[in-house]
Amino acid sequence: MSDSQIITLNVGGTIYSTTRQTLLKDPATLLATIASSSDVTSATDAIIILADGTIFIDRDGALFAHVLNFLRTDKLSLPEDFRDTARLRDEAEFYGLEKMAGALAGAAISVSRPRTANGYNNGTGAETGGYITLGYRGTFAFGRDGQADVKFRKLHRILVCGRATLCREVFSDTLNESRDPGGPDDIERYTSRLYLKHQCLERACDLMAEKGFKLVATCCSGANGLSATNHPILASNMGSISQSDLMNQRNCGDYEEQRWAHYTEYVFFREPQSGYITPSPRDL
């Protein structure tokens, strides 16, 4: 290949070198005109021929890398965290790359909202990704002998926190929304006022797994199993209570409730649908 087949472009201050054949892949584009015409400056005021023969294009230099890659591979390949969809579409339209502009427009339509701290929305009706937190206050019960052999765990209520639409998608008719002030059309609203109609933690976790969620974090507070010296029963009688009375009072329901009540949260996350592209604010 001769030197005449190598074309050097200065796009917004960034230097690119490519072959003439690459720029000619789509004959209807401005880049094909640059590669085939000796008078490229007549095509647009944004093009200037420099003294060393380099063709200067007054456009975004960083985004041109994606334009050139599209010409080379004939497909749109963008990073997962790419946020300049609208600007890149403007560049594609400037160069006359209708196929690339159409692919970018389609990506913006299929993802109508950006990733938020709480989740995703791809606008297609397919499964979305995001975080859901299950929380519950439970109580451990013990035998009458006071030994630390846990008999069962009582759940008072399973709370659900997350984006309202995502919670509805996962739990459907098992979700109780009576405490939630929102409505069915609140697309991105976050809520911590939902809870499940049943009290089976295993059933809730199984459903999360079936829906593609993975456990990513958990925390628990309150269940330390130690004597609560500031408990009213103990604090008022520590000076006069006998050992047997102390054991009986420790085993009473009120003391056990406060001693072994605990709050636990499980944080679940589901990845968004593959091919997700986060649009820039101009897409919204």
Side-chain angles (χ1 to χ4, degrees):
M1 182 180 294
S2 64
D3 292 343
S4 63
Q5 297 303 308
I6 305 297
I7 296 179
T8 301
L9 303 174
N10 182 334
V11 184
T14 303
I15 304 299
Y16 293 92
S17 294
T18 185
T19 64
R20 193 177 300 275
Q21 288 83 348
T22 297
L23 299 183
L24 288 170
K25 278 191 174 181
D26 189 342
T29 65
L30 176 61
L31 295 173
T33 302
I34 291 175
S36 61
S37 175
S38 58
D39 186 18
V40 294
T41 56
S42 61
T44 174
D45 294 337
I47 298 178
I48 300 174
I49 305 297
L50 302 180
D52 60 355
T54 299
I55 300 174
F56 176 82
I57 306 176
D58 189 18
R59 300 295 295 186
D60 192 301
L63 292 180
F64 186 75
H66 301 295
V67 174
L68 195 57
N69 185 65
F70 183 84
L71 283 175
R72 289 167 174 164
T73 63
D74 198 33
K75 63 181 180 179
L76 185 63
S77 300
L78 300 175
E80 292 184 0
D81 58 348
F82 187 76
R83 296 181 178 274
D84 290 324
T85 307
R87 292 177 56 210
L88 182 57
R89 189 166 68 246
D90 288 343
E91 296 301 302
E93 291 174 352
F94 171 80
Y95 293 112
L97 289 165
E98 295 183 0
K99 184 177 179 181
M100 182 179 182
L104 288 165
I109 291 173
S110 65
V111 185
S112 61
R113 293 179 181 270
R115 176 178 178 174
T116 64
N118 185 50
Y120 302 79
N121 181 9
N122 61 15
T124 62
E127 288 187 346
T128 56
Y131 292 90
I132 289 181
T133 300
L134 299 183
Y136 68 89
R137 186 174 71 87
T139 302
F140 292 110
F142 296 84
R144 294 183 180 276
D145 57 359
Q147 300 299 316
D149 53 339
V150 179
K151 300 299 183 183
F152 65 92
R153 177 186 58 200
K154 178 183 178 182
L155 302 186
H156 298 274
R157 178 174 287 174
I158 301 177
L159 305 177
V160 180
C161 307
R163 184 159 50 82
T165 51
L166 185 60
C167 295
R168 294 188 191 108
E169 175 192 329
V170 174
F171 294 106
S172 187
D173 57 354
T174 64
L175 193 66
N176 192 319
E177 301 185 48
S178 61
R179 297 172 62 245
D180 185 70
D185 299 324
D186 44 3
I187 304 296
E188 289 295 330
R189 181 179 56 82
Y190 175 89
T191 179
S192 59
R193 298 177 62 84
L194 304 174
Y195 64 95
L196 298 182
K197 296 178 181 178
H198 61 80
Q199 296 175 330
C200 181
L201 183 62
E202 290 76 10
R203 177 182 172 187
C205 292
D206 286 344
L207 183 58
M208 296 293 290
E210 291 173 4
K211 295 294 185 177
F213 282 81
K214 295 182 179 180
L215 181 67
V216 295
T218 183
C219 63
C220 180
S221 62
N224 53 21
L226 300 177
S227 297
T229 56
N230 60 344
H231 190 279
I233 293 177
L234 300 183
S236 61
N237 299 289
M238 284 300 292
S240 58
I241 192 171
S242 66
Q243 186 67 23
S244 60
D245 289 339
L246 176 61
M247 289 299 300
N248 290 334
Q249 291 182 0
R250 281 183 172 180
N251 291 334
C252 73
D254 177 63
Y255 179 74
E256 184 176 297
E257 279 284 316
Q258 295 195 30
R259 183 184 180 194
W260 292 100
H262 63 98
Y263 180 73
T264 304
E265 284 188 344
Y266 297 106
V267 182
F268 294 85
F269 177 71
R270 182 172 68 190
E271 290 287 348
Q273 198 174 36
S274 60
Y276 182 92
I277 299 177
T278 304
S280 69
R282 285 188 57 182
D283 292 315
L284 305 179

